[in-house]
Amino acid sequence: MIIAMKKAKIVVLKDDHESLLRSLQKQRVFMPIAKNRDHNVAKDPQIQRTEDSLKLIKKYEGKQSFFVDPLIVKMEDFTTIDESHLDLVEKVEFYDQEISQLKADIEILEDEIDTLLPFEGLDINLEERFNLKYAKIFTGYIPSRYLINLQELMEGIGGIVNDYGKKSIGIAVVIAIYFENLEVMEQVRALGFTEFELPVIDGTVQDIINQQDKRIEEKKTKIAENHAHLVELANNKSKLELLTDQLLTETELKTVKPLETLETMYLEGWVRVDQVELLEQAVTEAVEIYDIEIVDPVEGELPPTATKNNWFVSSYEYVTDMFSTPRPDEVDPNPVMSPWYWFIFGMMMGDAGYGLVMIFLFAFLIKAKKPKGNSLRMYRSFIYAGVSTIFWGVMFGSYFGFEWLPHVILIPMEEPLMMLVLSLIIGGAHIITGLATRAYANFKVKKYFDALCDDISWILIIIGLGLIFIPQVSTIGIALAISGALLILVTGGRSKPSIIGKLTGGATSLYGVTGYMSDILSYSRILALSLSTAVIGMVMNMLAAMLQANTIGIILSFVVYVIGHIFNVAMGLLSSYVHDSRLQYIEFFGKFFEGGGYQFKPLSPSTKYIYEIEK
């Protein structure tokens, strides 16, 4: 059901407003109104640093268990930020930055080695090469097509050219020319020679390469040490998760902007009627001097929507929320939608074996993954739908595609026409429930005539048309259908201003019967989905049976059987989820539910990573 809302007006001294907000956030019962919220508050840079550090150390975690160990903290631990956690962020950043710098240094060293490798065979002291008395040495690259020309040129002047192999930019060469012939270098450069200056050190090119290789190994060792530090820090992932949620919670507080006077702060917000005492308790625990007033919403004001339902209905609230949030003045659609969603889902799956798989699978996932919020609701709804699937599997005599026990109602593949009739009957009952819900909503606001003329009249027509096809009660069906039609003909145009409009309005409204018939025909998708599940299951069983000629075939048949039914369960879950939701949104909600509200989201601690905060 939808819980009524009250507006709370709170006044405290300026010095007390922060402690008030923390107490309200801790109690989770107060939702500041829009004018007291500013969601454009700049995000604390520390949050981004912490999240980046958390994302980084996750890469250094060992093999993770499939079972999630939920992070549960005490409230007193959550409300106080541990400085060591901030230091942990700095350590992660330091090691990561040092690794990045070391990798950049290694790239530079490797580039230097790449430039030296072509001349590693040059066995001269690089420093002494400038001390030659009669000649000068040049090192560089020349296009391969001009190497012969260069060699001929050197022979002509008594120079020397040594070839050190072809590289991507040309052939590496070392040229020695007597000082008196240096002018020939103009011709050498004309051949495309590009000079490359080797370092000036006391040693050979190979000595330089060895030194750089040693430096690279030292830096790799340092990287490995930093990796080890990060692996060790990854054991503190929960501390960073706690810090992230603490910082997000602080930011959430900053979005609340009370109105200020010279000495006081004024705050307005919404509170559920069943939590007013908790709100007052949160205020009195935080401040000594205050004023609080609890009032009803003014006319034209739209409060947020909060629902309070039992364990079964609340598991299906996510289905409604994906469509729209109910308005506070509407009937809560969840109590009437959830049993229908559960019932139709099982009918679409229609196999007792698959129902057992659903129950055990999603119970296991809840146990292993510890989901929360809508994910937890969805998993629970699938467990409950597993019960409905078992029921319909028994009705249809289907157990993993086999008929191990006799069916109770029918076998969809053998009696598709009867299955279609059953689907349409379910559809009619579903739509009647929607109309009855709208009639109930009209009764609540004392619109008795509207309920009679706009809702009950259509219920009479739909029931009457259905009974016409049953010979024993066809007369009653005709009477009900005619009664409903007359009601619509007489009252359908009552809202029209003109006499002609009133006369023709009933006939126009009665034409809506085509829409209702179309809606009921939409439920033929129940037949389609139940048949598809049954056919795929049967085909997988046949394929497996065809392989069972020998021992290897029996093993292969088991593989086909398991994989085939896993596929069928997965496709059945997806199809049933989508089409069952569509029936609720289009055919069912369209009869009574408008939506357009917004959810009651009280000021609360942010728990992106924390599973539970113990009070």
Side-chain angles (χ1 to χ4, degrees):
M1 64 178 179
I2 294 177
I3 305 298
M5 287 286 165
K6 294 283 188 179
K7 178 178 282 188
K9 300 179 179 180
I10 308 172
V11 180
V12 297
L13 297 177
K14 270 189 177 181
D15 293 340
D16 294 333
H17 97 277
E18 186 173 338
S19 60
L20 170 68
L21 291 178
R22 291 187 183 280
S23 181
L24 293 175
Q25 188 180 51
K26 178 181 176 180
Q27 198 64 265
R28 311 181 191 194
V29 296
F30 179 79
M31 178 180 175
I33 61 174
K35 67 181 180 182
N36 287 146
R37 296 301 293 267
D38 180 10
H39 293 285
N40 295 320
V41 172
K43 189 176 181 180
D44 185 352
Q46 183 65 44
I47 296 176
Q48 190 61 51
R49 290 178 58 198
T50 306
E51 289 185 326
D52 289 344
S53 298
L54 181 59
K55 184 178 180 180
L56 176 67
I57 64 172
K58 285 181 178 179
K59 298 178 182 178
Y60 294 90
E61 287 184 291
K63 186 177 180 181
Q64 296 301 297
S65 170
F66 184 81
F67 290 86
V68 173
D69 185 15
L71 178 58
I72 301 175
V73 299
K74 295 180 179 180
M75 180 59 75
E76 55 266 29
D77 295 332
F78 183 79
T79 53
T80 304
I81 294 179
D82 191 330
E83 291 296 326
S84 66
H85 297 176
L86 296 171
D87 294 339
L88 183 60
V89 174
E90 293 183 359
K91 288 180 180 179
V92 173
E93 290 176 335
F94 171 77
Y95 291 129
D96 180 54
Q97 291 169 3
E98 191 168 66
I99 288 173
S100 298
Q101 184 60 53
L102 289 168
K103 287 182 177 179
D105 293 344
I106 289 174
E107 287 184 6
I108 293 172
L109 292 173
E110 288 176 341
D111 288 341
E112 291 178 2
I113 290 175
D114 286 342
T115 61
L116 294 172
L117 281 176
F119 302 99
E120 64 178 333
L122 182 60
D123 191 20
I124 62 172
N125 187 294
L126 297 180
E127 188 176 59
E128 295 178 355
R129 76 183 190 273
F130 296 106
N131 300 329
L132 298 179
K133 187 174 182 179
Y134 300 105
K136 184 173 182 180
I137 294 177
F138 297 88
T139 56
Y141 297 90
I142 190 169
S144 56
R145 62 182 179 277
Y146 295 124
L147 178 61
I148 295 177
N149 303 84
L150 177 61
Q151 291 170 340
E152 292 175 349
L153 182 61
M154 290 299 103
E155 288 176 4
I157 62 171
I160 299 173
V161 55
N162 288 335
D163 175 4
Y164 286 90
K166 186 176 181 180
K167 306 300 175 184
S168 59
I169 59 175
I171 294 178
V173 294
V174 176
I175 303 171
I177 302 177
Y178 291 110
F179 284 121
E180 60 266 23
N181 295 327
L182 286 180
E183 68 275 2
V184 79
M185 283 303 297
E186 294 296 326
Q187 300 178 49
V188 173
R189 292 187 179 94
L191 292 174
F193 176 75
T194 304
E195 193 167 356
F196 173 72
E197 287 289 344
L198 292 171
V200 181
I201 67 165
D202 184 15
T204 65
V205 172
Q206 188 62 54
D207 292 335
I208 301 176
I209 292 175
N210 292 339
Q211 290 174 10
Q212 302 296 57
D213 282 336
K214 183 178 179 181
R215 292 177 64 190
I216 288 174
E217 289 304 314
E218 291 174 350
K219 292 182 182 298
K220 286 183 177 180
T221 301
K222 187 64 176 176
I223 288 175
E225 292 175 357
N226 287 340
H227 278 175
H229 288 307
L230 288 172
V231 169
E232 184 178 353
L233 292 177
N235 296 324
N236 298 303
K237 182 183 72 170
S238 61
K239 295 179 180 179
L240 291 183
E241 291 175 336
L242 171 59
L243 178 60
T244 301
D245 282 355
Q246 289 174 318
L247 295 172
L248 289 171
T249 297
E250 291 292 324
T251 301
E252 183 72 11
L253 278 181
K254 294 176 183 177
T255 65
V256 182
K257 302 294 183 182
L259 300 177
E260 299 183 28
T261 66
L262 189 62
E263 297 292 340
T264 65
M265 304 289 283
Y266 172 70
L267 187 64
E268 284 186 17
W270 300 104
V271 59
R272 292 165 43 152
V273 293
D274 59 344
Q275 295 178 341
V276 170
E277 290 184 6
L278 292 175
L279 173 63
E280 293 173 344
Q281 179 183 336
V283 176
T284 56
E285 287 178 354
V287 297
E288 294 182 359
I289 302 173
Y290 66 91
D291 181 70
I292 182 170
E293 182 182 7
I294 307 296
V295 299
D296 291 323
V298 300
E299 187 176 351
E301 199 169 27
L302 182 64
T305 301
T307 57
K308 184 178 181 180
N309 292 304
N310 60 36
W311 55 270
F312 177 81
V313 174
S314 61
S315 298
Y316 288 90
E317 287 179 352
Y318 76 94
V319 178
T320 300
D321 292 339
M322 286 192 297
F323 179 77
S324 183
T325 301
R327 295 195 319 273
D329 57 349
E330 282 187 299
V331 173
D332 184 5
N334 293 296
V336 289
M337 179 277 296
S338 51
W340 275 112
Y341 192 96
W342 169 83
F343 190 74
I344 293 174
F345 196 108
M347 194 174 180
M348 288 177 170
M349 290 292 290
D351 186 284
Y354 295 168
L356 283 173
V357 170
M358 290 167 60
I359 292 173
F360 285 110
L361 171 63
F362 289 102
F364 172 74
L365 289 176
I366 290 175
K367 179 71 175 177
K369 294 301 183 182
K370 298 295 189 298
K372 58 181 182 177
N374 281 339
S375 296
L376 177 59
R377 292 191 185 96
M378 180 180 289
Y379 286 5
R380 283 176 175 169
S381 71
F382 286 157
I383 291 176
Y384 305 148
V387 177
S388 174
T389 301
I390 291 174
F391 168 78
W392 282 109
V394 173
M395 295 298 103
F396 298 152
S398 180
Y399 303 83
F400 291 108
F402 293 106
E403 191 180 353
W404 289 335
L405 297 173
H407 64 276
V408 177
I409 298 177
L410 54 84
I411 299 177
M413 284 197 302
E414 296 181 3
E415 301 174 85
L417 184 58
M418 290 303 298
M419 183 63 193
L420 176 61
V421 172
L422 178 60
S423 301
L424 298 182
I425 291 173
I426 296 296
H430 195 206
I431 288 173
I432 288 171
T433 305
L435 291 170
T437 305
R438 187 170 68 187
Y440 169 74
N442 281 327
F443 272 110
K444 279 189 66 177
V445 295
K446 299 182 179 180
K447 294 183 178 179
Y448 305 118
F449 195 65
D450 288 350
L452 175 65
C453 301
D454 297 336
D455 306 320
I456 296 176
S457 58
W458 284 111
I459 293 175
L460 293 175
I461 290 177
I462 294 173
I463 293 176
L465 291 176
L467 293 179
I468 287 174
F469 294 98
I470 304 176
Q472 295 86 344
V473 291
S474 60
T475 305
I476 297 175
I478 293 172
L480 291 176
I482 291 174
S483 300
L486 287 174
L487 264 175
I488 293 172
L489 281 172
V490 173
T491 64
R494 65 187 184 280
S495 61
K496 304 291 183 182
S498 64
I499 295 176
I500 298 206
K502 292 180 183 297
L503 293 174
T504 59
T508 304
S509 299
L510 190 59
Y511 184 72
V513 71
T514 58
Y516 282 98
M517 294 302 104
S518 175
D519 289 344
I520 292 174
L521 285 174
S522 294
Y523 288 81
S524 59
R525 69 187 65 242
I526 297 176
L527 163 68
L529 288 174
S530 63
L531 282 178
S532 67
T533 302
V535 168
I536 294 175
M538 180 191 70
V539 170
M540 294 304 169
N541 293 339
M542 291 176 60
L543 289 175
M546 291 169 62
L547 296 172
Q548 296 177 347
N550 48 48
T551 304
I552 296 177
I554 291 174
I555 296 173
L556 290 175
S557 70
F558 180 76
V559 173
V560 170
Y561 183 80
V562 172
I563 294 177
H565 284 289
I566 289 175
F567 169 78
N568 201 16
V569 170
M571 292 303 298
L573 280 171
L574 177 61
S575 301
S576 299
Y577 172 74
V578 170
H579 290 282
D580 195 358
S581 298
R582 183 202 176 281
L583 289 176
Q584 309 304 323
Y585 297 156
I586 307 300
E587 277 69 37
F588 189 58
F589 283 169
K591 303 300 178 289
F592 70 96
F593 177 53
E594 294 182 9
Y598 60 101
Q599 292 183 359
F600 175 68
K601 294 182 178 179
L603 189 65
S604 310
S606 294
T607 52
K608 182 178 180 181
Y609 299 103
I610 294 174
Y611 184 76
E612 182 184 351
I613 300 176
E614 294 180 340
K615 293 186 179 181

